[in-house]
Amino acid sequence: MAQDLVIVESPAKARTIKKFLGNKYKVEASMGHVRDLPKSQLGVDIENDFEPKYITIRGKGDIINRLKKEAQNAERVYLATDPDREGEAISWHLAHLLDIDPNSTCRIEFHEITQQAIRNAIKHPRAINMCLVDAQQARRVLDRVVGYMISPLLWRKIKGGLSAGRVQSVATRMICEREREIQEFVPEEYWIITGRFVKEDGRTFEADFYGTVDNKVTPKSEEEVKGLVEKLRTAKYAVHGVKRGVKKRSAPPPFTTSTLQQEAYRKLGFTTQKTMMIAQQLYEGVEIRGEGAVGLVTYIRTDSTRIAEQAQKEALEYIRKKYGQQYVPEKPNQYKSKKGAQDAHEAIRPTSVLREPEAIKDSLTYDQYRLYRLIYDRFLASQMAPALYDTMTIEIVGDNGYLFRATGSRKTFAGYTIIYMEGSDNEKPEKENEDVELPEVSEGEKLSLEEVLPEQHFTQPPPRYTEASLVRALEEMGIGRPSTYAPTISTIIERGYVVREKKSLVPTELGFIVNDLMMTYFPDIVDYKFTAEMEKQLDEVEEGKKDWREIVREFYIPFKELLKKADEAISKIEIKEEVSDVKCEKCGANMVIKAGRYGKFLACPNFPKCRNTKPYVEEIAARCPKCNSAIVVKYTKKGKKFYGCENYPECDFISWDMPADQRCPECGALMVVKQRKNGEEYLLCTNKECGYRQERSEVNYE
């Protein structure tokens, strides 16, 4: 008896689906794309209305021949690629190669790899959606035209190996502009004054100086603070007002692709690329002890926060049984997707809340477990009741008219926070008021000012982008789509436009040069609104409202003129390389310092005649705490920066944090430089029993 053939992209996905379909079906993998534009040429026939010239991908011949043979012997063929533009295009290419009518009911679609979803998809096959295919073709052709026409210009004018692209060039611009903001930033001094007050019963609490009853006052200098402190110390104080309230903190929505990438970066330290790789494994299926191959999460490329009704019911019932009725919201939580979201798929969630992370931990790798737990906890939290806090604000006024304000809150019901707290890119607030209990006071009650604590601060420049904050910014501007963020960041790092430094994305000199050239000669390509508008037009193609060739045509005509003018106007740009005092042992030339994917390295300037390279040894000011030798900057195989003794392996000192050129004043141990998320640095003692901390801008004031 002939079997039905189901074709998916990966072997892992094939194994998982095979388990659900049984012997009537044969499941094969295409190993991703089978046809694409050629790498060696533009691959787009400009004169023939931008007709793509697809070819079979090199190395895929044996796979295609096997699929053709299986398709000929099969009673029916189902194309079961991912439920997005890319997946639809793969199915379309497969249909072409296997001689399947794309208008026949050959395509099946599912958003989670579970038995119910797979069997339901088999019962409801459909034709290939050519609107989705055309949207993917439009993106592919646009990106190919931009990349293959601007990149050769960059090779001629700057150096080989460079590239440009619609989204990557915009991302590079954002990082370069942020760096220039930081370089041009002029810090302004300001002071925060805290008062420690005492009640008659001896209880103390702190309040922040606000100003006068009518106006906020922020001291800008030490002289100003001195005069103010004297006035504050001599005044008599009383409670001017007490305000009580209840604050409700609602649960965060379940993950979209971008919020998963952001949170995995914040909480797990994963790059966007690593997050998507592991999430794909969880989606396609993992061998679970006692169950076999199981798809653990729903489809991972989505911009929607929508949840299936059945999944929500299961979650609410689970919450009721495990945590109690009080943790179930009065009505099920519903979340609005962001403006412009395609909303084609559900949010990312576990395929079953009954499959608890701890129960399957032994079947997962360490990173799979951590990411699955993050997705699981976030989804469960998103369906729970809000957290509740009693809040209290006390206003204290002196007889001189100066006002202090104390704020605090006490959690009265944990709600969703019993299992999950959302991460943040922002610096923690200077005063953390949550779970700060204030004493009971009454209006008119007299208070004594025990101590005035002025603290100097300086305004901080905007923080450098991290992968998380860049993804968020791109999404907020409508640039790119869920599937594009990870490859975009990987590309600008691989091209040498950007490097990672302490989790921040920092532009290189090459990045600035390429960005300035793009801004001057191709302003539309790197224009935020233009790029976002192009995404909207691609969405219109997907919705069947616009012809994809028309979009490419409208873009290409002015672009061709810009390209011609740029080629005529741009002179050869010389990138001056920093010459080191290290001699090349092969040819005797002084080696030059170059920036690569994993930081700086030394290379012979006589390349390609001499291809000698070696690590760039960068010393820091601190000395090794074990042997007093120099400490040098080093990199792991994956490009992560660390610090080690120059005498390794004789001396095994290493540190992930940069050692400071001073010892702890409390215990004499090594101090290291730590960095907050806003880029502000402080020093921390490495002796855990000591824990001494010193702000870099710390100024003692008596």
Side-chain angles (χ1 to χ4, degrees):
M1 181 180 174
Q3 293 176 301
D4 289 344
L5 176 65
V6 178
I7 302 176
V8 296
E9 298 102 313
S10 75
K13 198 172 177 183
R15 285 193 298 272
T16 309
I17 290 173
K18 173 65 179 171
K19 188 184 79 167
F20 299 135
L21 291 178
N23 294 330
K24 187 180 180 298
Y25 298 87
K26 186 157 192 175
V27 186
E28 293 286 348
S30 70
M31 307 301 289
H33 280 276
V34 288
R35 286 204 308 167
D36 197 7
L37 302 176
K39 288 184 177 181
S40 59
Q41 55 182 277
L42 179 63
V44 178
D45 190 346
I46 304 291
E47 304 303 322
N48 189 21
D49 207 12
F50 306 98
E51 183 67 24
K53 300 177 182 177
Y54 294 115
I55 63 167
T56 300
I57 295 173
R58 183 177 293 178
K60 289 294 182 81
D62 290 344
I63 294 170
I64 292 167
N65 289 335
R66 188 184 76 246
L67 293 177
K68 282 181 177 179
K69 184 178 178 181
E70 296 291 351
Q72 288 169 358
N73 295 331
E75 192 165 312
R76 186 165 185 178
V77 179
Y78 295 101
L79 304 173
T81 50
D82 283 347
D84 57 12
R85 294 174 185 171
E86 201 80 11
E88 205 73 16
I90 293 174
S91 282
W92 180 66
H93 287 300
L94 283 167
H96 174 84
L97 291 172
L98 303 180
D99 199 24
I100 298 171
D101 182 1
N103 295 312
S104 66
T105 53
C106 60
R107 175 82 166 106
I108 61 172
E109 180 180 340
F110 43 84
H111 300 265
E112 59 183 70
I113 304 179
T114 60
Q115 183 168 323
Q116 182 180 351
I118 301 302
R119 290 186 174 179
N120 187 59
I122 287 285
K123 291 176 184 176
H124 300 92
R126 60 169 174 81
I128 290 173
N129 185 335
M130 286 307 299
C131 292
L132 282 172
V133 174
D134 287 346
Q136 193 273 342
Q137 287 197 99
R139 177 184 289 281
R140 193 77 184 94
V141 170
L142 281 168
D143 289 345
R144 179 55 70 103
V145 166
V146 171
Y148 273 53
M149 290 189 163
I150 296 182
S151 296
L153 177 69
L154 299 179
W155 303 342
R156 292 194 301 274
K157 305 298 184 179
I158 305 176
K159 70 170 190 174
L162 305 183
S163 69
R166 290 184 315 108
V167 180
Q168 75 171 64
S169 296
V170 171
T172 303
R173 174 189 172 181
M174 291 169 66
I175 294 167
C176 288
E177 287 184 343
R178 176 60 59 86
E179 192 67 20
R180 284 189 168 130
E181 280 184 72
I182 294 168
Q183 291 169 354
E184 295 165 6
F185 182 82
V186 179
E188 294 181 6
E189 181 182 4
Y190 69 99
W191 290 71
I192 291 175
I193 300 174
T194 303
R196 184 175 291 130
F197 290 89
V198 186
K199 284 168 53 70
E200 289 183 357
D201 63 6
R203 287 195 65 184
T204 64
F205 66 98
E206 292 184 351
D208 294 330
F209 173 71
Y210 176 81
T212 67
V213 174
D214 299 318
N215 296 299
K216 182 171 177 60
V217 176
T218 304
K220 301 289 187 182
S221 68
E222 188 172 350
E223 284 301 311
E224 193 178 343
V225 167
K226 281 181 179 178
L228 192 54
V229 166
E230 193 57 40
K231 293 176 184 177
L232 294 174
R233 280 175 175 160
T234 57
K236 298 184 183 301
Y237 295 90
V239 176
H240 180 68
V242 180
K243 183 180 179 182
R244 291 179 173 84
V246 176
K247 183 176 74 174
K248 182 187 291 187
R249 177 182 281 182
S250 298
F255 283 131
T256 61
T257 303
S258 70
T259 55
L260 173 62
Q261 290 173 348
Q262 292 169 50
E263 196 76 337
Y265 181 83
R266 297 184 194 112
K267 290 195 167 186
L268 308 180
F270 288 2
T271 63
T272 51
Q273 193 173 29
K274 182 175 181 177
T275 297
M276 295 310 291
M277 178 186 71
I278 297 170
Q280 185 75 22
Q281 294 166 3
L282 298 176
Y283 165 68
E284 291 184 343
V286 178
E287 288 288 333
I288 302 298
R289 193 171 300 156
E291 291 190 76
V294 176
L296 296 176
V297 301
T298 54
Y299 191 54
I300 58 168
R301 293 178 182 86
T302 176
D303 55 12
S304 174
T305 54
R306 177 172 47 82
I307 291 295
E309 185 179 349
Q310 184 58 34
Q312 189 168 55
K313 285 180 180 177
E314 288 176 358
L316 293 174
E317 184 58 29
Y318 177 87
I319 292 165
R320 184 179 291 108
K321 287 181 178 178
K322 182 160 185 175
Y323 297 99
Q325 182 63 40
Q326 68 271 33
Y327 285 91
V328 177
E330 292 179 8
K331 59 179 183 179
N333 296 336
Q334 300 293 335
Y335 299 94
K336 287 184 178 179
S337 295
K338 290 189 176 182
K339 185 180 178 182
Q342 293 173 286
D343 202 38
H345 318 294
E346 277 190 74
I348 302 170
R349 62 170 175 82
T351 52
S352 172
V353 292
L354 301 179
R355 201 172 282 115
E356 297 175 337
E358 289 301 320
I360 61 172
K361 185 176 181 179
D362 291 346
S363 299
L364 305 178
T365 66
Y366 178 60
D367 285 339
Q368 285 174 342
Y369 164 75
R370 294 168 75 205
L371 191 65
Y372 179 64
R373 169 144 217 140
L374 188 68
I375 294 169
Y376 184 95
D377 288 350
R378 174 74 167 233
F379 169 66
L380 207 60
S382 76
Q383 304 307 307
M384 296 179 83
L388 301 176
Y389 302 83
D390 282 345
T391 62
M392 185 178 186
T393 302
I394 302 172
E395 290 194 339
I396 305 161
V397 177
D399 56 8
N400 53 10
Y402 284 119
L403 169 68
F404 282 84
R405 197 173 273 163
T407 57
S409 68
R410 180 175 61 87
K411 188 185 289 185
T412 56
F413 176 63
Y416 78 93
T417 66
I418 196 171
I419 60 169
Y420 189 84
M421 284 294 288
E422 194 170 14
S424 172
D425 288 322
N426 300 322
E427 170 72 7
K428 65 181 181 181
E430 288 174 355
K431 291 288 182 182
E432 182 59 70
N433 299 318
E434 195 169 295
D435 288 333
V436 174
E437 287 198 59
L438 297 174
E440 287 296 324
V441 295
S442 55
E443 194 167 332
E445 182 179 341
K446 304 295 183 186
L447 299 171
S448 300
L449 180 60
E450 181 182 68
E451 193 174 3
V452 181
L453 306 166
E455 190 177 356
Q456 184 188 41
H457 291 266
F458 292 91
T459 54
Q460 295 295 316
R464 285 170 167 163
Y465 284 111
T466 63
E467 290 198 25
S469 60
L470 181 64
V471 166
R472 187 178 69 244
L474 288 168
E475 184 183 43
E476 286 173 351
M477 289 193 287
I479 296 168
R481 284 297 180 259
S483 61
T484 64
Y485 300 131
T488 293
I489 292 171
S490 296
T491 298
I492 61 177
I493 291 172
E494 287 169 3
R495 294 289 181 268
Y497 301 156
V498 173
V499 293
R500 290 191 186 97
E501 282 188 14
K502 292 184 178 178
K503 294 190 175 182
S504 296
L505 298 174
V506 183
T508 61
E509 181 189 3
L510 178 62
F512 278 122
I513 290 170
V514 172
N515 179 63
D516 290 345
L517 185 148
M518 294 292 293
M519 291 284 290
T520 302
Y521 297 101
F522 302 98
D524 280 352
I525 301 294
V526 290
D527 182 76
Y528 300 142
K529 289 182 179 178
F530 177 86
T531 308
E533 184 59 37
M534 186 64 72
E535 295 293 351
K536 290 180 183 177
Q537 291 189 53
L538 292 174
D539 292 344
E540 288 178 353
V541 173
E542 179 175 331
E543 294 160 9
K545 296 177 181 177
K546 202 158 187 175
D547 178 67
W548 76 268
R549 295 177 195 269
E550 181 185 343
I551 290 176
V552 178
R553 199 180 303 121
E554 289 173 356
F555 169 81
Y556 181 75
I557 293 171
F559 171 72
K560 184 181 178 182
E561 288 303 310
L562 285 175
L563 194 68
K564 183 180 177 183
K565 289 177 182 177
D567 201 9
E568 294 170 352
I570 302 171
S571 301
K572 178 71 176 176
I573 299 170
E574 293 292 338
I575 301 177
K576 292 183 179 179
E577 293 173 324
E578 186 180 350
V579 180
S580 75
D581 56 2
V582 179
K583 295 285 185 182
C584 174
E585 62 268 27
K586 292 186 178 180
C587 69
N590 277 54
M591 302 189 83
V592 295
I593 301 170
K594 290 181 173 286
R597 184 178 177 183
Y598 300 129
K600 294 179 179 178
F601 65 96
L602 293 173
C604 182
N606 293 326
F607 180 88
K609 289 182 180 178
C610 180
R611 296 176 176 268
N612 188 27
T613 62
K614 58 172 58 181
Y616 172 66
V617 179
E618 182 181 354
E619 289 188 15
I620 63 172
R623 306 297 292 181
C624 176
K626 290 189 173 183
C627 69
N628 203 40
S629 298
I631 295 176
V632 297
V633 179
K634 298 187 176 186
Y635 295 89
T636 67
K637 288 181 179 179
K638 293 187 177 180
K640 189 174 181 181
K641 195 177 191 178
F642 69 99
Y643 303 85
C645 180
E646 67 173 349
N647 287 332
Y648 179 85
E650 285 77 17
C651 178
D652 62 357
F653 170 77
I654 63 166
S655 172
W656 292 112
D657 299 305
M658 186 173 79
D661 189 22
Q662 67 182 74
R663 291 303 183 103
C664 175
E666 298 288 335
C667 70
L670 178 73
M671 299 273 281
V672 292
V673 180
K674 289 283 190 179
Q675 189 178 56
R676 297 192 178 94
K677 290 175 183 175
N678 69 347
E680 195 175 275
E681 293 181 340
Y682 63 95
L683 303 183
L684 183 68
C685 178
T686 53
N687 180 0
K688 292 181 180 179
E689 294 180 2
C690 173
Y692 175 79
R693 177 183 299 221
Q694 179 184 328
E695 300 297 326
R696 275 282 175 103
S697 59
E698 191 174 56
V699 175
N700 293 322
Y701 174 74
E702 294 295 329

